[in-house]
Amino acid sequence: MRGFSPDALRQARLNAGLSQTEIARVAKVGTGTVRRWEMGESSPQVDLLARVVEVLGVTIADVVKVPETERYPGDWRVLLGLTQPQLGAKAGVTTQIVSCVERGVISLSDNVGERLSAALGISEDELRAAHERARNRPLGEPS
């Protein structure tokens, strides 16, 4: 996950005065999963991270840091704690379209741009800028 900060997650947990085991139990994720995230050994799935930050009383933006001017469409989705299928359902488009837009492999039609920007709670101009960044990212850089 782009911009995920293991240190920020660890600090949020410590600030909440909770152990990895307590967070894992309440969020219904494995203790080892939380440990690996905090150690930077693995990257969280957005839906699991959303449950953990809710328990911690912070937002995903507190532990996933991507400057607005560098965000791709997928970053906006992650900050809302949505999976691709969830965003697709919210926007009324297929998961495949969401994936292709996020990777910048298709053009962003007016209809899809309008639906996705509304579902993401951002302007269509911001979605289009994020989409262009994804389309023009360097080879080998994840979207």
Side-chain angles (χ1 to χ4, degrees):
M1 174 181 299
R2 278 176 30 98
F4 173 68
S5 172
D7 291 336
L9 178 63
R10 181 178 167 276
Q11 192 58 55
R13 179 181 58 77
L14 294 174
N15 290 346
L18 299 170
S19 70
Q20 291 175 343
T21 301
E22 290 172 310
I23 293 297
R25 178 180 57 80
V26 175
K28 296 182 176 38
V29 300
T31 302
T33 298
V34 174
R35 181 189 57 75
R36 284 189 297 278
W37 292 351
E38 287 188 5
M39 298 295 294
E41 294 173 359
S42 67
S43 184
Q45 292 175 216
V46 67
D47 51 339
L48 300 182
L49 181 60
R51 295 194 322 231
V52 167
V53 297
E54 182 178 351
V55 171
L56 293 173
V58 299
T59 67
I60 289 179
D62 292 321
V63 298
V64 176
K65 306 195 184 276
V66 179
E68 272 193 47
T69 58
E70 297 175 20
R71 290 181 186 160
Y72 298 151
D75 298 325
W76 287 105
R77 173 182 54 77
V78 165
L79 290 172
L80 291 177
L82 298 174
T83 63
Q84 287 180 343
Q86 289 169 330
L87 176 58
K90 187 174 178 181
V93 299
T94 67
T95 301
Q96 182 178 3
I97 288 175
V98 171
S99 175
C100 289
V101 167
E102 288 185 359
R103 291 180 290 126
V105 298
I106 62 170
S107 296
L108 185 59
S109 72
D110 290 342
N111 181 42
V112 170
E114 183 179 315
R115 289 169 177 243
L116 286 176
S117 63
L120 291 168
I122 61 174
S123 71
E124 196 169 338
D125 287 342
E126 181 53 51
L127 177 62
R128 289 190 179 285
H131 180 255
E132 279 305 306
R133 284 190 288 273
R135 285 180 73 83
N136 296 316
R137 71 187 186 283
L139 294 174
E141 182 178 311
S143 59

